[in-house]
Amino acid sequence: MWDTLWVDTNLATMTPGGKPYGEIQRGAVAAKDGKIAWVGFAADLPGHAVDLAHEVRRCDNAWITPGLVDCHTHLVFGGDRAREFEMRLQGKSYEEIARAGGGIVSTVAATRAASREELVASAAKRLSGLTREGVTTVEIKSGYGLDLENEIKMLEAAGELGARSDVRVKRTFLGLHALPPEFKDDRAAYVQLVADVMIPAIASEGLADAVDAFCENIGFTAEEVDYVFSAAVANGLAVKLHAEQLSNQNGAALAARYQALSADHLEYLDDSGIAAMAAAGTVAVLLPGAFYFLRETQLPPIAAMRAAGVHMAVASDCNPGTSPMTSPLAALNMACTLFRLTPEEALAGITREGARALGILDDVGTLEVGKACDLAVWDVKSPAELSYWLGAPLLRERVFAGRVV
Ligand code: DI6
Ligand code: FE
């Protein structure tokens, strides 16, 4: 007997190679012990639904997709930057504000001042925005503490969110996010602290799965990132990189050299970066929310990445400065409208490719037997609707590890 069986439904399995969306019309999916135990055409079920599972859920022809995987967020932080938003509307640029001590560093002050519990409480509200739209796995970065104590506080807050919510949390240490004010005259000392002290401490406590950095003219140089990536690898952590967001620093090629899981943003990526990512299997994480909020005009080279066979994920980049957005479905719409992804690419980007970007494609991201039974059940007539509407309440039911939540 299965625990739960969903019927009267269409499935977007997102398994590649077959029909668009890996679709199975008039399908069924079953959960046992939190995993997908059966998936296929309802006509092929090995008996009557009611004889097969303790609970049968009829879905009125709703579509079921894998639970969404938001593979790039900065969900945990103190304060907000609404004031900076107003300044930007008065004509100041993101870079000007950052150089004037605003930007990331102002969120650092607010995050340091917040208790772990306060960070959990404010992030939980943002997380509810994601889960309300079908997210079942979320990556959360640190990077607003910028000293060991406060980076650990952020990572623990992220872990706490996972422990008390029905969502999988993957944690990323983003020590090289900005130069903390106390190191403003000694960059090298901060980079060394991150590599030689913070990474070993965080790795040994099991507080993060990966290491990220902001490789940018207002962030860190490729050389500094290189040094920190070596420490990450030496301590058994995967790497990923904020690369080519505001300028071309050849960050994606550096990331690819380290077999990075992903390189993210990529508006200024060039052909050599694309080739390096394709060869390394590094996923391109597209963040149209940041592109939109910054009113960026340089588009990431989508067509060239597609042609090179680079896998493309889509994520919210939820953060207080450049993407104060808690809607994964808005990210899908922006990925199509602004970046010209197809709705199928966009949905794959926030399911299968998001999972690939986190190194957990064996566990989540598609509807396949043996993976976690994380589902989103949608009141739509076709999966393209998930990218088409902006702000519509489409989620009918969210399933985490086989349980309706
Ligand atoms: N790139 C971004 O878009 C965010 N971080 C990063 O490295 C912005 C973070 C912020 O402005 O607070
Ligand atoms: Fe980011």
Side-chain angles (χ1 to χ4, degrees):
M1 273 308 251
W2 296 320
D3 298 330
T4 310
L5 174 63
W6 287 262
V7 293
D8 298 340
T9 181
N10 304 302
L11 310 177
T13 67
M14 305 316 288
T15 51
K19 289 191 168 174
Y21 301 95
E23 88 173 25
I24 300 179
Q25 299 229 16
R26 287 177 291 281
V29 57
K32 176 143 182 85
D33 299 331
K35 299 233 153 87
I36 296 175
W38 195 91
V39 58
F41 288 101
D44 296 335
L45 279 167
H48 290 294
V50 287
D51 301 328
L52 294 170
H54 294 293
E55 186 189 359
V56 177
R57 299 185 72 83
R58 303 196 174 272
C59 302
D60 303 323
N61 296 315
W63 278 82
I64 297 183
T65 68
L68 304 190
V69 179
D70 192 350
C71 71
H72 179 141
T73 85
H74 309 247
L75 211 61
V76 171
F77 56 83
D80 68 73
R81 304 242 290 280
R83 174 72 197 116
E84 180 178 312
F85 181 62
E86 291 179 318
M87 286 165 68
R88 289 229 311 273
L89 287 168
Q90 287 157 8
K92 293 258 181 300
S93 75
Y94 181 66
E95 270 148 307
E96 276 168 346
I97 291 166
R99 289 191 196 282
I104 294 174
V105 168
S106 70
T107 299
V108 171
T111 303
R112 287 178 174 178
S115 69
R116 196 179 78 157
E117 291 64 38
E118 287 166 341
L119 292 178
V120 172
S122 64
K125 287 194 195 143
R126 296 186 277 272
L127 181 59
S128 75
L130 301 182
T131 55
R132 187 161 58 219
E133 291 190 348
V135 168
T136 50
T137 299
V138 62
E139 183 257 15
I140 302 177
K141 301 176 195 298
S142 67
Y144 294 116
L146 307 184
D147 60 30
L148 185 58
E149 181 195 337
N150 285 294
E151 287 291 301
I152 287 179
K153 180 176 75 180
M154 288 189 72
L155 292 166
E156 285 178 347
E160 173 82 22
L161 279 171
R164 62 137 116 158
S165 321
D166 296 303
V167 66
R168 267 165 243 288
V169 172
K170 298 294 278 182
R171 294 180 292 183
T172 302
F173 171 56
L174 178 54
L176 292 195
H177 195 194
L179 194 61
E182 62 275 20
F183 281 92
K184 75 176 190 322
D185 300 317
D186 199 353
R187 302 181 59 83
Y190 181 66
V191 174
Q192 219 160 40
L193 181 73
V194 167
D196 301 349
V197 177
M198 293 166 76
I199 286 178
I202 283 161
S204 73
E205 296 289 323
L207 287 167
D209 307 295
V211 169
D212 192 352
F214 186 28
C215 187
E216 193 52 67
N217 49 36
I218 57 164
F220 294 87
T221 66
E223 207 179 2
E224 290 164 338
V225 173
D226 196 343
Y227 186 74
V228 162
F229 275 4
S230 322
V233 170
N235 284 276
L237 295 173
V239 300
K240 56 181 78 178
L241 190 62
H242 283 73
E244 275 68 272
Q245 180 187 8
L246 308 169
S247 62
N248 184 0
Q249 307 279 328
N250 296 311
L254 168 69
R257 243 194 291 128
Y258 279 90
Q259 305 291 311
L261 288 171
S262 69
D264 304 34
H265 288 285
L266 303 173
E267 279 78 350
Y268 291 82
L269 182 66
D270 64 16
D271 286 344
S272 66
I274 294 172
M277 287 177 67
T282 295
V283 177
V285 177
L286 304 173
L287 304 167
F291 177 94
Y292 166 82
F293 278 98
L294 292 173
R295 301 183 79 219
E296 178 60 68
T297 53
Q298 170 86 21
L299 284 159
I302 303 292
M305 288 195 280
R306 194 185 277 134
V310 174
H311 294 288
M312 293 184 282
V314 174
S316 70
D317 195 17
C318 179
N319 78 69
T322 62
S323 190
M325 174 168 87
T326 60
S327 169
L329 295 184
L332 295 190
N333 179 273
M334 289 176 182
C336 296
T337 305
L338 301 173
F339 291 175
R340 314 314 282 170
L341 260 60
T342 67
E344 185 187 0
E345 286 173 325
L347 185 58
I350 206 154
T351 53
R352 182 182 73 230
E353 302 310 328
R356 193 192 310 274
L358 295 176
I360 54 173
L361 186 53
D362 288 344
D363 305 322
V364 298
T366 63
L367 303 182
E368 288 179 84
V369 170
K371 290 195 178 187
C373 190
D374 292 357
L375 313 175
V377 186
W378 306 96
D379 280 321
V380 296
K381 292 186 197 67
S382 74
E385 283 188 60
L386 299 174
S387 296
Y388 162 71
W389 297 103
L390 190 54
L394 303 179
L395 189 73
R396 173 190 175 105
E397 179 165 300
R398 195 175 71 93
V399 179
F400 179 69
R403 278 180 304 111
V404 177
V405 289

